[in-house]
Amino acid sequence: MLLSLASKSPRLPLFSFRTRRISSSTLTITPTTDESRFASRPKQEDLKFGTTFSDHMLCVEYKNGAWQEAHIRPYANLELSPAASSLHYGLSCFEGMKAYQSDTDDNSADVRLFRPEKNIHRLKASMERLQMPGTDFDTTELLELLKRLVRLDQRWIPKGNGYSLYIRPTVIATHPYLGLAAPAELLLYIITSPVGPYYATGSFQPISLLATSSYVRAWPGGTGCNKVGGNYAPTMKPQAEAVKKGFSQVLWLFGENDEVTEVGGMNIFFVMEQENGEEVLVTPPLDRGDILPGVTRDSIVALAKRDGLTVEERFPTMAEIKEAADGNRLKEAFGTGTAAVVTPIEGIQFQGSNIRIPATGEWTQRFWDELTGIQYGRMEGPEGWSVVV
């Protein structure tokens, strides 16, 4: 089955009095009649990240200067013009979210999202950075459409710690135009995928990193603070090289002083002991524009401040990290992101030197326990963090 989405009209009207926005009130739903996908899904313990997809997808087109009616339909391939500008110029952005089956003592059937409004706002920011039209949509309306999709495919959500329904909102330019210009036509779609632990070694297992300055993930003035497709394609080669050498991820550095920025596709944190014995949590700041404003990152910073842990948002250098490790002042390190939540870091190789880091540390464990507790409904988090679908 093909989903035909390419338009024959590539031009955006110079003047438009249409104010149609994304709306849940006009949503149409075409339920699947094919039960074979669900019947043939892998066993929960055999789920591999991002390889199994649930029954339905949400699609909303933008054309003729307005968002069209939203439609939930059976999961299907897309039919695009070979001239679609997303295929040529990387005009695409996306988000990563999860729906969790509550894991509570009362066996609640509640399904929960974790701070979903943050993802929707970040998607808008990514669209704006790519000069996509239609960014004035109502975020609450898109969130309601997302909830409707999750409710429809609720049976696909695996239950248990480390398991969830991964949600991938995506916006691509469908404008069939080879000129280098902002797109006039878009497709916003959402697909979902039942997933287990992100790493094959399981959830919350320590990883080792290869620090590199040979490749650069992002830079000031670029798109590192946005979740656009072009950020990720150039990371494939250095990541493959790191894996070949026995490391789990790349630690991205920037500048002459080898400033630490991100790890793989995650934000990074260090727990360091100061000369007075006080522990501080260090993480790269967002003000330079090359760090992704992660939802998990933001949550960790909020929890740390609430619990009295001093947070320093600055760029640590590899020289500082090595010196702290040599002086036994580097107490913990971990990466954060939607896919793996919190990932302990046990070592970094930099310029042939192996930096060992205690894993798993007290703060790392504490953040993991509280975040996953909130996500699965086992703990009461800050107001608005856990949203029942």
Side-chain angles (χ1 to χ4, degrees), residues 168-186:
R168 175 53 66 90
T170 305
V171 183
I172 61 173
T174 55
H175 187 181
Y177 179 54
L178 294 182
L180 189 58
E185 298 176 4
L186 308 172

Side-chain angles (χ1 to χ4, degrees), residues 3 21 29 52 66 96 100 126 151 153 169 172 175 184 200 203 219 241 249 256 260 293 326 339 369:
L3 177 60
R21 307 286 178 84
I29 300 177
T52 301
Y100 304 86
S126 296
R151 290 187 203 119
D153 280 343
I172 61 173
H175 187 181
S203 297
W219 50 90
E241 292 177 357
Q249 293 283 349
E256 295 180 356
V260 175
D326 291 343
D369 289 342

Side-chain angles (χ1 to χ4, degrees), residues 23-78:
S23 173
S24 59
S25 64
T26 56
L27 172 68
T28 58
I29 300 177
T30 305
T32 186
T33 58
D34 181 9
E35 288 293 316
S36 63
R37 290 173 56 82
F38 186 73
S40 61
R41 71 193 188 285
K43 294 180 180 179
Q44 179 165 309
E45 59 271 22
D46 295 331
L47 285 172
K48 295 181 179 179
F49 190 89
T51 58
T52 301
F53 301 98
S54 44
D55 281 330
H56 299 91
M57 62 192 297
L58 169 73
C59 296
V60 192
E61 287 186 85
Y62 183 94
K63 60 182 180 181
N64 300 324
W67 288 104
Q68 307 302 301
E69 293 183 356
H71 190 183
I72 293 178
R73 59 189 71 191
Y75 181 91
N77 293 332
L78 305 178

Side-chain angles (χ1 to χ4, degrees), residues 7 17 30 66 82 87 103-104 107 187 190 226 229 248 256 262 267 304 329 378 382:
S7 169
F17 297 97
T30 305
L87 302 178
D103 183 18
T104 55
N107 293 318
L187 172 66
I190 304 177
N226 304 112
S248 301
E256 295 180 356
E262 293 192 359
N267 295 117
R329 293 184 295 104
R378 297 188 297 265

